[in-house]
Amino acid sequence: MASSHSSSPGPNLSGGGIDGIFRKDRDPSSRHYRHVRSLPDVCPKEPTGEAALGLCEGPSVVADQHRWTVYNSKVNLPAALNDPRLAKRESDFFTKTWGLDFAETEVMPSFYLPTITKEHFGPYLQEMTQRERIHERCKNVCPNKDELDAVSSITNNHDKSRTELEQVPRIFMKPDFALDDPSTFNAVLPWSHFNSAGGNTSRDVASSRLLQEKLSHYLDVVEVSIARQISLRSEAFFHAMSSQHELQDRLTQTTRAVAVLRGRTAAIERVMCEGPLLALRQALTRSNCVQLHNKLKLMAAVHQTQPTVQLLLSTSEFVGALELIGTTKEVLQQELQGIHSFRHLGSQLCELEKLIDKMMVEDFSMYSRSDLSRSLDEEGHVMEKDRLESLVFGLLRQRKLDFLDVYNDEMILAAKSIVSQCVFDSVSRIEEIDPDVTKMADQMRLMTFPQWFHLLKGVFENFILFLKRIKGTLGVIRSVVLEALDSNQKSSLLELERATVAAEHPGTPLNRGEAELAYLTHEGLFISDALTDAQHHQGVNGGQEQSSAVGPRQSQLRVDGCVSDSASGTTESSSSREHAFQPGGGASISEDMMPSDLELGRVANNIQELLYSASDVSHDRCVKVLMARAKDGSLERLSSAEFVCLSQAVEGFVRDTEELCCRRSVSLRGALQSQANRFVNRFHEERKTKLSLLLDNERWKQAEVPAEFQDLVDSIADGRITLPERKTQGAEERKPSDYLCIDGERYAVVGTVLILIRIFLEYCQCVNDIPSIATDMLTRLSDLLKHFNSRSCQLVLGAGALQVVGLKTITTKNLALASRCLQLVVHYIPVIRAHFETKLTPKQYSVLRHFDHITKDYNDHIAEISAKLVAIMDSLFEKVLSKYEVKAPMPSACFRNVCKQMGKMHEALSELLPEEQAQMLFLRINASFKMHLKRQLGRLGVYHDGGPQHGLVTVDVAFYTENVQALRTLEKLDLNMAEIWEQKR
């Protein structure tokens, strides 16, 4: 029995007992125990005091249902605080009483109490330390008398009790003590002390009496010890007995209170519960009947599915038929599962769905064929847009994502037929073509270039219309795919919102209450359906009336069933498709039916790729037309104007297709580039041959400059690097001029250079018309300029014109004209370079280095011609001055001859070279003259010493200076003739 803390008093030393036993002091009032404080020790879960007496009147369910009572207690406080997870038991008082959290909680210090530190107790400790030492010393010397008496008394009593108990033999203290054991019996009653004969001698009587007294003494010792122990624990024992009696009384009262409570509960159940429960049962029965009626109507609607699907297929309404089949299959799997009469309907619907798949693919193929093969003269609108949208949506719904391949095959066939039709129409209008020629390529080669070019432009126009039609059709398909993708994303967001709401509000009190009532009614099968209905009603927005769980599907089936009863038997595909796209609609498509977002995105990309493929196919068919014409080399034999027209037509078609399809197709450009390369080779070879012929026939005499060439260079100066238009015959004819004026500078040229200027302008014009051949044209033009430089060098400096043309000699005038022509070409090289640079991409700028090399070669050639002119005069000076003698008359014949030759040189060059070049050339000639004169004077021993010979030479030099400076453009020339003299050694 457990007892309270008040029933376990501590022992006190009793000073009045003769037996020296410790006894507890008793309070007279402790005989009457208080019921309220002792009861929780025995039964802590029962009410005590006035609450226990109140049980006789019965509890109030209504009043006490929200008030906490002892019945709500589950465990007592010590059990809650006895944490078995702790490694050891804490000895702190607060931790034991209020739990572990109390010890770990940090208590904020009070703002009203001062902070006490160890320093505040310093003076007190210093004052009491000496007194404490004296007290301890006196305490050790003289212990307390009362403590000594108490300890002595307790020790004496304990030792006395132990001594008395030690008098009792150990055999009586053994746990297995039993007198029926012979050894134990003989040890307790030693019969050996008695007479073995069994006589009653006085000795035996005395021994037996002594043994009896000894055993009685042992008994007294044990009884006294037991009595002492009982006296020490008597109060607790009697208290426990009293608590037991009190507990029995309380249990009797509790039993009566429970009986009264049960009676009242039965009355409450009879009066308040039976009627409402019956009403609930009847409401559930009615709900079950309503659900059964709805299921029967749903079965009737499902029964009409197949006839309705057949009617929809007869009108090519594939979307509505697929929606009806999908909804019916969903109803069969969820609402009508297990119904025997519909056991074969699911497989029949699956077979019907496969049939619809084949029908949709065939219908889409027929639509594509009819759309692509219809006349291109019709308007550009999409043919039967609603039908196309219905087909595409149905194919997407059935995951037939390869329908674009069907459209691609039909597109290729249509492209071939476009070319064939264009060729047929052109050939039918040309009478010169033999009708026995059946091959299209041969027919096209028999056409003249204007006829073939007209055919090519017609093919280009038809393909542009063809691509526009394809783009419109693919735009409709793409809009359907994007609409489906948007619907999928909206459905995903809606499902995510629903999941979030369900996670935040997992249940409501209404749902839990209905679940408890359904459990109490034990109705079984249809109770879960009723709860599902309740949840469905609760999830709907307020103010909207909702049908049962099968209502939406039944409504959709009823709507589709009404289609079969309609008079026209047709439906609007757009309305059914919009209904299917609605995320929350009754016929919304589940995620396993429609393709995923990734698949729809892939289809959208394939649509764009299909448009690119259409552009490529169109270009490929045009390449076939181009190559059929170029097979016999007829395109290479085109004139520049004709090839430019062809190039412009091709570039225009390529540009239009790029704008239309956002695709840069390279096949047609590549074919044109191939033909352009052949054209460039022929173009270059023709002009190079022409230039070679002109150079071989050039006599290197100054040619007159026609007015058209002057206009040509003037247009170049104005920034127009193109060939001017030919003037009409009625225009006023102007006389040719002797020089070609460029930027105020006159150029005396030969006729070949004028043709060369026109030739490189033709190269620039070709680059303007065909930018794709810019690099090839630049390379060919560089080769042409190099050829002119090298061939002119061979003919003039190398004296090749003597044999080729039949010139007698290469004069200084020929050399000056060649130099001036080269300078004219060098003048136009930067202009040509700048023009080509505008036609090249930054990656192609490296080819411009050819112009730098050409410029260097031309300048070297010009320098060689200048050196050749100086060398001619140098050889003359060496020949004439070697015979010079210093003697009268003066001026000498030698100097007269030098001045005559200088005059002839100036006369030949002054009209050809500009003033600055002439001055520089004569300065070099004068330097050569001074060198030879100085050498001859040194050989003759004439020095600058003022002698007679010095005077004669001075007269000759003055004559030379006067004659040279008298020449036009050489008046200010500084001859510096003082350098001819050597210092006398």
Side-chain angles (χ1 to χ4, degrees):
M1 298 291 290
S3 62
S4 64
H5 296 289
S6 61
S7 63
S8 301
N12 292 329
L13 186 62
S14 177
I18 59 174
D19 52 0
I21 298 175
F22 292 99
R23 297 180 182 275
K24 174 185 175 183
D25 296 336
R26 292 194 175 186
D27 187 1
S29 62
S30 63
R31 297 180 182 273
H32 304 284
Y33 299 100
R34 290 177 293 177
H35 303 284
V36 177
R37 294 188 178 181
S38 60
L39 182 58
D41 293 336
V42 180
C43 185
K45 294 185 180 181
E46 296 294 335
T48 59
E50 296 178 357
L53 297 178
L55 289 175
C56 299
E57 300 176 358
S60 176
V61 179
V62 179
D64 297 340
Q65 60 179 344
H66 299 297
R67 184 165 57 88
W68 189 90
T69 62
V70 294
Y71 297 105
N72 297 99
S73 178
K74 302 301 180 184
V75 295
N76 54 8
L77 185 60
L81 298 177
N82 186 17
D83 191 353
R85 295 173 295 181
L86 298 178
K88 61 180 181 177
R89 302 289 186 256
E90 285 77 7
S91 58
D92 186 77
F93 170 75
F94 298 104
T95 305
K96 283 184 177 182
T97 306
W98 291 312
L100 188 61
D101 294 337
F102 179 83
E104 296 177 357
T105 302
E106 182 180 358
V107 181
M108 296 296 295
S110 176
F111 298 101
Y112 301 101
L113 297 178
T115 303
I116 304 300
T117 61
K118 189 176 180 180
E119 285 73 10
H120 291 81
F121 297 95
Y124 173 77
L125 291 176
Q126 291 178 0
E127 181 181 355
M128 297 303 296
T129 299
Q130 188 64 26
R131 296 183 182 181
E132 183 181 4
R133 291 176 182 174
I134 297 172
H135 174 71
E136 291 295 335
R137 191 183 305 114
C138 295
K139 182 178 180 181
N140 293 333
V141 175
C142 300
N144 191 359
K145 182 178 180 181
D146 294 338
E147 292 181 359
L148 290 176
D149 293 341
V151 172
S152 176
S153 176
I154 293 172
T155 304
N156 291 336
N157 290 336
H158 183 68
D159 293 342
K160 182 178 179 181
S161 176
R162 180 181 294 276
T163 302
E164 291 178 351
L165 289 175
E166 287 178 353
Q167 295 177 4
V168 180
R170 295 293 182 182
I171 192 172
F172 293 104
M173 304 299 180
K174 292 182 177 180
D176 56 350
F177 176 78
L179 290 177
D180 54 358
D181 185 8
S183 59
T184 303
F185 185 80
N186 291 330
V188 174
L189 299 174
W191 297 105
S192 59
H193 295 284
F194 299 99
N195 189 3
S196 60
N200 294 326
T201 61
S202 56
R203 184 178 178 182
D204 295 336
V205 173
S207 297
S208 60
R209 185 179 295 112
L210 181 60
L211 180 59
Q212 183 177 4
E213 291 177 356
K214 185 183 295 185
L215 293 175
S216 299
H217 176 67
Y218 293 160
L219 179 61
D220 293 338
V221 170
V222 173
E223 287 179 350
V224 169
S225 179
I226 292 174
R228 184 184 297 112
Q229 296 298 328
I230 290 174
S231 64
L232 292 175
R233 293 170 176 79
S234 59
E235 185 174 356
F237 176 75
F238 289 118
H239 179 68
M241 293 299 294
S242 300
S243 299
Q244 181 68 22
H245 292 305
E246 185 178 0
L247 180 60
Q248 291 178 356
D249 295 338
R250 295 293 181 86
L251 287 176
T252 302
Q253 295 176 4
T254 303
T255 302
R256 289 196 299 270
V258 168
V260 173
L261 181 60
R262 286 183 174 179
R264 293 191 176 184
T265 303
I268 291 173
E269 180 181 6
R270 183 174 60 257
V271 174
M272 300 178 63
C273 298
E274 289 183 357
L277 287 177
L278 180 60
L280 288 175
R281 291 190 186 97
Q282 292 178 351
L284 289 177
T285 302
R286 183 180 181 278
S287 176
N288 293 336
C289 292
V290 171
Q291 290 185 10
L292 179 59
H293 180 254
N294 290 333
K295 286 185 182 293
L296 291 175
K297 292 192 293 184
L298 186 61
M299 291 174 63
V302 169
H303 185 66
Q304 296 295 326
T305 298
Q306 287 181 311
T308 307
V309 170
Q310 295 294 338
L311 178 61
L312 292 172
L313 293 180
S314 64
T315 59
S316 299
E317 185 57 41
F318 301 108
V319 177
L322 290 174
E323 290 297 328
L324 182 57
I325 291 174
T327 305
T328 304
K329 290 170 66 176
E330 185 178 359
V331 170
L332 287 175
Q333 293 175 0
Q334 297 181 2
E335 305 298 335
L336 302 180
Q337 187 177 9
I339 296 180
H340 186 71
S341 59
F342 290 149
R343 63 187 183 277
H344 301 303
L345 183 58
S347 59
Q348 294 173 358
L349 293 177
C350 291
E351 293 296 330
L352 192 58
E353 194 171 8
K354 294 179 181 178
L355 177 62
I356 293 175
D357 292 346
K358 295 180 180 179
M359 292 177 63
M360 284 193 301
V361 173
E362 293 177 358
D363 198 6
F364 182 77
S365 178
M366 293 176 59
Y367 174 85
S368 301
R369 189 178 304 113
S370 61
D371 179 51
L372 295 174
S373 61
R374 62 192 172 103
S375 176
L376 295 173
D377 297 334
E378 298 180 10
E379 295 182 3
H381 61 81
V382 180
M383 183 184 70
E384 299 181 14
K385 182 177 179 182
D386 292 340
R387 176 188 173 191
L388 176 60
E389 291 178 347
S390 176
L391 283 172
V392 173
F393 179 74
L395 291 170
L396 289 177
R397 189 184 185 280
Q398 297 304 109
R399 293 179 177 271
K400 298 295 181 181
L401 305 182
D402 56 347
F403 65 94
L404 294 177
D405 297 336
V406 177
Y407 192 86
N408 187 36
D409 297 338
E410 296 295 337
M411 177 186 66
I412 295 174
L413 296 176
K416 292 181 180 179
S417 65
I418 288 175
V419 176
S420 301
Q421 187 63 34
C422 289
V423 173
F424 177 78
D425 294 341
S426 298
V427 170
S428 63
R429 290 193 298 268
I430 302 174
E431 298 178 354
E432 293 81 4
I433 298 178
D434 188 358
D436 295 335
V437 180
T438 57
K439 292 185 178 181
M440 287 192 302
D442 297 337
Q443 293 173 348
M444 285 187 285
R445 282 191 290 271
L446 292 176
M447 298 178 184
T448 62
F449 177 76
Q451 293 171 347
W452 177 83
F453 187 64
H454 180 72
L455 168 64
L456 183 64
K457 290 196 294 184
V459 171
F460 286 163
E461 292 175 359
N462 288 339
F463 271 120
I464 291 297
L465 297 175
F466 179 68
L467 291 176
K468 288 181 179 179
R469 178 173 297 176
I470 291 176
K471 185 175 182 181
T473 303
L474 293 181
V476 174
I477 298 175
R478 183 182 181 86
S479 63
V480 174
V481 173
L482 295 180
E483 191 176 355
L485 181 61
D486 183 63
S487 175
N488 280 4
Q489 293 176 352
K490 288 181 179 179
S491 299
S492 301
L493 292 176
L494 185 60
E495 291 296 331
L496 181 61
E497 292 178 359
R498 289 177 179 174
T500 304
V501 172
E504 293 177 354
H505 306 286
T508 59
L510 178 60
N511 290 340
R512 290 195 294 269
E514 289 181 354
E516 293 175 359
L517 291 176
Y519 175 79
L520 292 175
T521 55
H522 299 283
E523 286 295 329
L525 181 61
F526 294 100
I527 293 178
S528 59
D529 295 337
L531 293 180
T532 305
D533 252 351
Q535 293 175 358
H536 177 73
H537 283 294
Q538 188 177 0
V540 178
N541 295 331
Q544 293 183 349
E545 296 182 358
Q546 298 293 329
S547 60
S548 61
V550 299
R553 296 184 182 87
Q554 178 183 348
S555 176
Q556 172 65 16
L557 288 175
R558 188 182 302 114
V559 170
D560 293 331
C562 292
V563 174
S564 62
D565 299 333
S566 62
S568 62
T570 59
T571 57
E572 293 292 336
S573 60
S574 58
S575 62
S576 62
R577 182 162 57 86
E578 291 174 0
H579 178 72
F581 276 144
Q582 294 176 358
S588 61
I589 300 174
S590 59
E591 295 180 357
D592 57 343
M593 294 182 182
M594 286 298 292
S596 62
D597 293 349
L598 181 61
E599 292 174 333
L600 290 175
R602 191 178 297 115
V603 171
N605 293 333
N606 291 339
I607 292 173
Q608 188 63 35
E609 291 295 333
L610 185 58
L611 184 59
Y612 296 159
S613 177
S615 176
D616 294 341
V617 168
S618 301
H619 282 243
D620 293 341
R621 302 317 302 177
C622 293
V623 168
K624 294 288 186 182
V625 176
L626 191 65
M627 299 309 294
R629 177 70 179 182
K631 188 174 182 180
D632 59 350
S634 59
L635 294 182
E636 299 177 17
R637 296 189 294 271
L638 295 178
S639 65
S640 301
E642 290 175 342
F643 194 86
V644 166
C645 292
L646 175 61
S647 175
Q648 289 175 349
V650 172
E651 287 293 334
F653 174 71
V654 171
R655 184 169 55 254
D656 293 340
T657 55
E658 287 180 0
E659 293 177 358
L660 190 62
C661 303
C662 301
R663 168 78 167 189
R664 184 179 177 85
S665 298
V666 297
S667 58
L668 185 56
R669 271 201 176 101
L672 179 64
Q673 184 66 38
S674 176
Q675 295 301 318
N677 292 336
R678 297 178 182 178
F679 170 77
V680 166
N681 289 333
R682 185 193 59 79
F683 180 89
H684 175 65
E685 291 300 329
E686 287 181 355
R687 278 137 186 87
K688 187 175 180 181
T689 303
K690 180 179 179 181
L691 182 62
S692 298
L693 292 175
L694 290 173
L695 287 173
D696 291 341
N697 294 315
E698 180 62 54
R699 302 190 63 85
W700 297 101
K701 292 182 178 181
Q702 184 177 359
E704 293 181 347
V705 179
E708 59 176 333
F709 285 96
Q710 184 61 51
D711 295 339
L712 191 65
V713 297
D714 291 340
S715 66
I716 296 175
D718 295 337
R720 297 189 299 272
I721 315 297
T722 58
L723 290 173
E725 298 180 358
R726 293 185 178 272
K727 295 183 179 180
T728 59
Q729 296 180 356
E732 181 182 357
E733 295 184 0
R734 292 178 294 171
K735 294 182 179 181
S737 60
D738 295 333
Y739 299 94
L740 188 67
C741 297
I742 301 174
D743 297 334
E745 185 176 352
R746 297 189 309 171
Y747 285 87
V749 295
V750 297
T752 303
V753 173
L754 296 177
I755 302 301
L756 178 63
I757 293 175
R758 186 176 184 86
I759 287 175
F760 70 66
L761 282 181
E762 290 177 355
Y763 278 79
C764 294
Q765 182 67 41
C766 275
V767 172
N768 290 338
D769 297 332
I770 315 173
S772 59
I773 62 174
T775 54
D776 292 335
M777 276 295 183
L778 188 148
T779 305
R780 302 302 192 279
L781 181 57
S782 301
D783 180 67
L784 186 72
L785 294 175
K786 290 179 181 178
H787 176 71
F788 174 78
N789 185 39
S790 62
R791 187 60 180 160
S792 61
C793 181
Q794 293 172 3
L795 293 173
V796 180
L797 283 179
L802 299 178
Q803 292 81 19
V804 175
V805 185
L807 295 179
K808 295 180 180 181
T809 182
I810 303 298
T811 64
T812 56
K813 196 167 186 178
N814 297 140
L815 292 173
L817 274 174
S819 175
R820 199 59 177 155
C821 291
L822 294 175
Q823 292 175 15
L824 178 62
V825 176
V826 171
H827 173 78
Y828 280 114
I829 286 178
V831 178
I832 300 172
R833 176 191 177 116
H835 178 73
F836 273 88
E837 187 174 359
T838 60
K839 307 301 179 182
L840 298 176
T841 61
K843 294 182 179 179
Q844 298 173 335
Y845 285 168
S846 59
V847 298
L848 295 174
R849 66 180 183 275
H850 294 300
F851 290 113
D852 299 332
H853 299 160
I854 293 171
T855 303
K856 182 178 181 300
D857 294 340
Y858 271 71
N859 289 328
D860 293 343
H861 190 184
I862 294 170
E864 289 177 3
I865 293 176
S866 299
K868 183 66 176 178
L869 292 173
V870 174
I872 292 173
M873 295 303 295
D874 184 78
S875 62
L876 176 65
F877 293 149
E878 183 179 4
K879 180 180 179 181
V880 173
L881 292 177
S882 63
K883 300 178 181 180
Y884 176 63
E885 295 180 357
V886 184
K887 61 182 181 178
M890 293 297 169
S892 64
C894 180
F895 269 77
R896 290 177 183 274
N897 190 14
V898 168
C899 291
K900 181 180 179 181
Q901 295 298 328
M902 290 285 286
K904 290 182 179 180
M905 173 69 74
H906 180 266
E907 183 181 359
L909 300 181
S910 62
E911 299 297 330
L912 301 179
L913 298 180
E915 182 178 352
E916 293 181 359
Q917 292 185 19
Q919 290 179 357
M920 293 299 298
L921 179 62
F922 277 93
L923 280 176
R924 293 176 62 184
I925 293 173
N926 180 63
S928 175
F929 172 76
K930 289 190 294 184
M931 180 187 67
H932 288 286
L933 180 59
K934 184 177 180 180
R935 185 181 303 166
Q936 183 65 20
L937 292 177
R939 189 181 301 117
L940 297 175
V942 179
Y943 301 101
H944 191 277
D945 53 1
Q949 290 184 336
H950 173 262
L952 293 175
V953 172
T954 302
V955 174
D956 282 339
V957 170
F959 175 76
Y960 168 79
T961 303
E962 182 181 356
N963 277 275
V964 170
Q965 291 181 347
L967 298 175
R968 188 170 57 86
T969 69
L970 301 181
E971 298 86 357
K972 299 181 181 179
L973 192 64
D974 186 10
L975 300 180
N976 194 12
M977 298 303 295
E979 296 179 356
I980 63 175
W981 301 105
E982 291 186 359
Q983 297 294 329
K984 186 177 180 180
R985 299 178 181 177

